[in-house]
Amino acid sequence: MVTTAAFADDIALVIIGKYIEDIQNLFKKTLSIYTPWMDDSGLKIAKHKTEAVLISSRKKRETLKLQVGDCEIKSQPSVRYLGVMIDARLCFKDQVEHTSKKASAVGEALSRLMPNLGGPKPRRRALLSSVVMSILTYGIVIWGSALQLQECQRRIYPVCRQMALRVASGFRTVSRDAAHVISGLLPIEILAEEQRRIYRHRNSRVADIDDCRKRERQKSLQ
């Protein structure tokens, strides 16, 4: 079974097979169909940018080798597609680590603009913190389940807490829960559940989606 997912110039082939040989054969057939079409359309595959990840629940890690023209592609432990790190176990630990590092760096830069004393008002602080939260919640509908793992919580919770403390002008001794309540920022695990519920209504009309967002936000606040 082969499924194609594409956005702009990023194309992903999702191939399902029981054996590696089956996946390799399906890949060859699919590539033989797409290559002539791309040539006729004036498009080319960036062979040096092509990546592969073998998603499997087997204990023994296997390596998948694919041939793209004169380049041999070996499967990696994880690949990045449209800003989301997809790993071989679909546990999204790499995504949490990548997101936490990026958001932490942006948060440190923004912290210079909102010191605890003499800085902007809470409303402006919340606006600045939304930049960090947008980084943290990008694609969270996909990888939000990783927040159930303590390892991932230890990585991402401190970043969220730091932003909540900045908005609330709180000291580092303030607890995570108290910082979120005072700042009015929802914890990331609650935001993840909210986004999932909204995503289930993705096929609804725009007006219904707006109403859905309001209802789900009330549930999150409760």
Side-chain angles (χ1 to χ4, degrees):
M1 179 180 176
V2 181
T3 304
T4 304
F7 182 82
D9 60 345
D10 289 320
I11 299 176
L13 293 180
V14 182
I15 303 175
I16 301 175
K18 188 174 183 180
Y19 304 103
I20 288 183
E21 293 78 10
D22 296 338
I23 297 174
Q24 290 172 331
N25 291 332
L26 285 171
F27 178 77
K28 289 179 181 178
K29 291 179 181 179
T30 306
L31 195 63
S32 65
I33 295 173
Y34 272 90
T35 302
W37 174 82
M38 295 185 73
D39 292 338
D40 294 339
S41 303
L43 303 173
K44 289 185 178 180
I45 297 176
K47 301 173 184 178
H48 62 288
K49 292 183 178 180
T50 304
E51 296 179 297
V53 58
L54 181 62
I55 300 172
S56 173
S57 59
R58 296 175 183 174
K59 293 182 179 179
K60 183 180 178 181
R61 290 185 178 271
E62 298 177 293
T63 302
L64 175 67
K65 295 181 180 180
L66 301 173
Q67 196 69 31
V68 182
D70 55 353
C71 294
E72 185 181 71
I73 308 300
K74 292 184 179 180
S75 59
Q76 303 297 321
S78 64
V79 296
R80 187 180 180 185
Y81 183 67
L82 298 180
V84 177
M85 301 294 294
I86 302 174
D87 58 85
R89 301 295 185 188
L90 286 182
C91 60
F92 295 104
K93 291 181 181 179
D94 292 345
Q95 170 65 16
V96 171
E97 183 176 359
H98 171 75
T99 300
S100 299
K101 287 182 178 180
K102 184 177 180 180
S104 180
V106 174
E108 289 178 6
L110 289 176
S111 65
R112 302 187 187 99
L113 302 176
M114 44 181 176
N116 278 356
L117 297 176
K121 295 181 179 180
R123 184 173 296 180
R124 293 183 180 179
R125 290 171 176 270
L127 180 62
L128 290 172
S129 69
S130 65
V131 178
V132 176
M133 294 308 296
S134 65
I135 296 173
L136 288 172
T137 57
Y138 177 78
I140 202 168
V141 173
I142 300 170
W143 60 267
S145 58
L147 295 176
Q148 298 175 5
L149 304 175
Q150 290 186 355
E151 180 182 347
C152 294
Q153 293 174 2
R154 286 194 295 268
R155 293 288 304 174
I156 206 167
Y157 281 5
V159 183
C160 300
R161 176 176 173 270
Q162 185 64 30
M163 276 299 96
L165 287 175
R166 286 294 178 183
V167 174
S169 298
F171 294 104
R172 63 183 63 185
T173 52
V174 177
S175 68
R176 175 175 176 264
D177 290 342
H180 278 291
V181 170
I182 297 171
S183 65
L185 300 179
L186 289 173
I188 191 168
E189 66 273 19
I190 295 179
L191 280 174
E193 285 299 321
E194 178 184 299
Q195 291 299 320
R196 284 182 185 175
R197 294 194 300 267
I198 294 173
Y199 183 72
R200 296 191 187 105
H201 298 276
R202 63 190 182 279
N203 294 326
S204 302
R205 292 176 299 177
V206 176
D208 294 335
I209 285 294
D210 291 339
D211 292 339
C212 176
R213 288 197 179 108
K214 293 178 182 178
R215 290 195 303 269
E216 296 304 335
R217 176 50 56 94
Q218 288 301 317
K219 290 180 182 178
S220 299
L221 289 173
Q222 290 174 3

